[in-house]
Amino acid sequence: MEGAVRGRIDKRQAILAAAFAVFAREGYALAAMDVIAAEAGVAKATVYNHFGDKETLLRAAIAAEADRTLAGNLAAVEQLSPQGGQVRGMLEDVGLQLLRCYLDERAWAVRRLLLAEINQFPDLLDIVEGAASDRVTEALADRMARLTVAGRLRVTDPLLAAEQFAALLLGPMDKRSRLGTREVPDAELRAVARAAVRTFLQAFGA
């Protein structure tokens, strides 16, 4: 029984990975279920058994990819600790890792797919924000609140501070990366992170 359950989970994950790749490459309208099945290495009927229809599969594939993105972002934010080293250094390290997550090719694929299909499926934005963006902001706000309690930051509204930190970091990146078509050198990312932290600490430094 355990092997059967494991096999079903593995098939589901393979279908989700293949579906996201095909949707990102072809767009929703041109993505064919038989192509998704072939890339997943399963029968077309198996795809329908797991997800029912193409719309449901699109939403599930984007949610799964948002979960993957979330994991990397949360791992970065967790480094912000009241017991950690210098606040400036911690924020720069976290900022650099968040920038790397934002510029990851699969993260760009999510954003491109979202922009392409949002008119037809406006709820996709809620899926991405609920599964990833909002949770990262909330985690960042929680860490900033802890640093404030420890006397290491001076934040009155942690959620607003988290949003502003993210804006300072990510705001320049669409232009610098030419919407994901230019690889941004690591030295440039570090400079962006340092500048964002410098501005942030002028407002919220203890």
Side-chain angles (χ1 to χ4, degrees):
M1 176 65 74
E2 183 177 342
V5 172
R6 179 73 262 170
R8 182 172 177 82
I9 293 172
D10 289 345
K11 284 183 180 180
R12 180 180 177 86
Q13 291 175 340
I15 293 167
L16 288 172
F20 181 76
V22 175
F23 285 134
R25 184 176 70 236
E26 307 290 346
Y28 176 78
L30 297 179
M33 295 291 266
D34 55 348
V35 174
I36 291 170
E39 293 204 13
V42 301
K44 185 176 178 180
T46 302
V47 178
Y48 282 105
N49 288 339
H50 278 270
F51 296 99
D53 56 47
K54 193 163 76 165
E55 284 189 27
T56 301
L57 181 55
L58 173 68
R59 293 183 176 94
I62 287 183
E65 197 62 27
D67 284 342
R68 187 198 66 82
T69 301
L70 173 67
N73 281 278
L74 290 183
V77 172
E78 286 174 3
Q79 296 180 57
L80 277 179
S81 168
Q83 291 78 42
Q86 183 188 35
V87 170
R88 182 182 298 272
M90 282 195 297
L91 284 170
E92 288 179 358
D93 288 343
V94 169
L96 178 60
Q97 290 190 49
L98 291 175
L99 284 171
R100 288 170 176 163
C101 289
Y102 184 80
L103 295 177
D104 177 77
E105 178 53 38
R106 289 173 65 174
W108 268 113
V110 171
R111 291 193 289 276
R112 292 188 190 107
L113 184 56
L114 178 63
L115 289 173
E117 308 300 343
I118 193 168
N119 286 337
Q120 185 174 359
F121 305 109
D123 62 301
L124 293 180
L125 180 61
D126 298 324
I127 292 173
V128 172
E129 289 184 341
S133 303
D134 290 348
R135 292 175 65 183
V136 174
T137 303
E138 290 164 4
L140 193 55
D142 173 74
R143 294 291 167 158
M144 289 181 174
R146 296 186 193 191
L147 287 165
T148 297
V149 170
R152 309 193 68 188
L153 284 179
R154 182 172 47 85
V155 171
T156 56
D157 186 337
L159 188 60
L160 180 61
E163 291 174 345
Q164 292 178 342
F165 182 62
L168 288 168
L169 275 176
L170 305 180
M173 298 321 299
D174 286 1
K175 181 177 181 180
R176 286 175 179 264
S177 70
R178 296 183 61 82
L179 297 177
T181 62
R182 170 185 177 256
E183 183 176 349
V184 183
D186 209 56
E188 188 174 340
L189 295 182
R190 292 179 186 276
V192 170
R194 285 195 299 270
V197 171
R198 183 167 59 248
T199 301
F200 180 81
L201 288 179
Q202 286 176 354
F204 299 108

